[in-house]
Amino acid sequence: MKKLLLAALAMGAATDVAAWCGAAFCMVHTSWNAQGVWTEPGARLDLRFEYIDQDQPRAGSDKVGVGQIPRHHDEVRTINRNWLGTFDYAFSEAWGVSATLPVLDRFHTHIHNHQGAKLTETWNFTEIGDARVLGRRQWRTESAQAQRLDFFGVNFGLKLPTGKDDVRNSDGDLAERTLQPGTGTTDLLLGGYFNRVLASGSSWFADVLVQAPLNEHDQFKPGTRTSLDFGYRMQAGEKLGVMLQLNFLHKSRDSGSNAEPEDSGGRFVSFSPGLSYALTPSLQIYGFLQLPLYQYVNGVQLTADWAVAAGISTRF
């Protein structure tokens, strides 16, 4: 059974950030509990890059043209290039903690409809986003007869207001709150997961996480997010893993006088195929392509037709 666990770990990737491609991050789930759980005490480090080009305005589940449904701001395009660094430490087989800090490289342009004039406004910035600290309590069961390992556990933690919420462009115009690198709020993170590792080296997982703001900041409160992920990984060789995921997200509307509740929140389903490759027993690279199956937004919002995420992770 030890060999079974190590085979699964060779295909693992480590980070706990997941979001939807209609916002700042990809929904794809790449945590160790998703791809094979490492239970030995010690540290892991992961660096992940994401590219999301939101160039498709959408109303409900329908694609629309820029300005087809008039708004004070007609959204045109947002390009997100995200770097996410995650440090994970396992104190024991049962307890662990991870911390993730994103750096956001974001370009956004929209048309400001002002007294009959159409003014093009843009923002282009690179800033630190909101950090997340997530603890876990894990249990493990083993079946020698069935040749499998089962892991299940709970995740709990906070999203911290480390990102700015007052970024302006070169003309001094303040960016919309949903465009800012930080929300200004502290959010509760709470969820759970299950992972089964089979004798063949393949595994599957299910993971749920709720992110709920605990406060309002500057008359803005982001909507509660609930994500649900299902995934399967098969071993295609000694070092190569093939991964498939279904990712679900529900986000409620933002609230507050500085929010845009009519144009925030929605429901999203994505299919995410990916590959991982073990360069060494403790160093892996991975990549995912995320393809939306269903996107429903409240009001008018920008969405992406595809996104990619790639990274490298190591344990020491």
Side-chain angles (χ1 to χ4, degrees), residues 19-52:
W20 55 293
C21 289
F25 302 100
C26 279
M27 255 165 86
V28 66
H29 193 91
T30 53
S31 70
W32 283 86
N33 62 52
Q35 308 304 340
V37 182
W38 177 41
T39 60
E40 300 174 7
R44 299 186 293 270
L45 186 64
D46 178 88
L47 181 63
R48 166 173 158 176
F49 173 76
E50 302 176 344
Y51 179 84
I52 310 107

Side-chain angles (χ1 to χ4, degrees), residues 36-140:
V37 182
W38 177 41
T39 60
E40 300 174 7
R44 299 186 293 270
L45 186 64
D46 178 88
L47 181 63
R48 166 173 158 176
F49 173 76
E50 302 176 344
Y51 179 84
I52 310 107
D53 186 358
Q54 299 167 249
D55 60 355
Q56 177 56 64
R58 187 177 299 271
S61 58
D62 299 325
K63 293 182 179 181
V64 297
V66 174
Q68 180 177 335
I69 301 176
R71 287 292 195 269
H72 186 59
H73 293 148
D74 294 332
E75 307 297 349
V76 177
R77 191 177 191 184
T78 302
I79 299 176
N80 298 283
R81 299 178 181 91
N82 304 322
W83 291 93
L84 300 103
T86 297
F87 178 78
D88 182 284
Y89 190 82
F91 300 99
S92 66
E93 179 178 312
W95 293 96
V97 64
S98 66
T100 299
L101 183 66
V103 176
L104 313 179
D105 180 350
R106 185 168 295 163
F107 169 83
H108 173 78
T109 181
H110 68 219
I111 298 171
H112 180 197
N113 297 306
H114 181 67
Q115 297 180 352
K118 292 185 175 296
L119 307 175
T120 299
E121 298 178 331
T122 63
W123 287 262
N124 192 1
F125 59 83
T126 301
E127 295 284 351
I128 291 174
D130 285 344
R132 293 169 30 136
V133 179
L134 201 63
R136 65 180 176 272
R137 173 65 168 96
Q138 180 173 277
W139 295 266
R140 163 181 158 173

Side-chain angles (χ1 to χ4, degrees), residues 68-255:
Q68 180 177 335
I69 301 176
R71 287 292 195 269
H72 186 59
H73 293 148
D74 294 332
E75 307 297 349
V76 177
R77 191 177 191 184
T78 302
I79 299 176
N80 298 283
R81 299 178 181 91
N82 304 322
W83 291 93
L84 300 103
T86 297
F87 178 78
D88 182 284
Y89 190 82
F91 300 99
S92 66
E93 179 178 312
W95 293 96
V97 64
S98 66
T100 299
L101 183 66
V103 176
L104 313 179
D105 180 350
R106 185 168 295 163
F107 169 83
H108 173 78
T109 181
H110 68 219
I111 298 171
H112 180 197
N113 297 306
H114 181 67
Q115 297 180 352
K118 292 185 175 296
L119 307 175
T120 299
E121 298 178 331
T122 63
W123 287 262
N124 192 1
F125 59 83
T126 301
E127 295 284 351
I128 291 174
D130 285 344
R132 293 169 30 136
V133 179
L134 201 63
R136 65 180 176 272
R137 173 65 168 96
Q138 180 173 277
W139 295 266
R140 163 181 158 173
T141 62
E142 180 176 335
S143 174
Q145 183 177 1
Q147 286 289 292
R148 71 178 186 227
L149 291 173
D150 289 342
F151 299 90
F152 56 97
V154 293
N155 291 319
F156 49 91
L158 296 172
K159 181 201 73 71
L160 303 173
T162 55
K164 291 182 178 179
D165 59 10
D166 58 356
V167 171
R168 298 177 181 270
N169 64 13
S170 57
D171 295 324
D173 298 320
L174 187 67
E176 304 157 62
R177 290 302 297 268
T178 54
L179 181 64
Q180 295 286 349
T183 66
T185 62
T186 298
D187 299 0
L188 175 68
L189 304 172
L190 185 63
Y193 62 89
F194 177 84
N195 185 60
R196 173 164 288 179
V197 183
L198 305 175
S200 62
S202 63
S203 64
W204 65 270
F205 77 91
D207 187 285
V208 62
L209 185 68
V210 176
Q211 178 176 324
L214 298 176
N215 65 304
E216 178 181 292
H217 175 72
D218 190 24
Q219 303 178 61
F220 176 81
K221 188 175 184 180
T224 296
R225 305 164 53 91
T226 302
S227 61
L228 179 62
D229 304 300
F230 298 96
Y232 175 76
R233 184 196 57 78
M234 63 175 291
Q235 194 166 336
E238 183 179 352
K239 297 183 177 181
L240 182 66
V242 177
M243 299 175 287
L244 301 172
Q245 291 188 23
L246 276 176
N247 311 108
F248 303 82
L249 176 72
H250 177 271
K251 183 180 182 298
S252 60
R253 297 176 188 266
D254 302 332
S255 60

Side-chain angles (χ1 to χ4, degrees), residues 13 46-49 284-288 309-313:
D46 178 88
L47 181 63
R48 166 173 158 176
F49 173 76
Q284 302 88 35
I285 56 176
Y286 60 90
F288 282 91
I312 185 168
S313 58

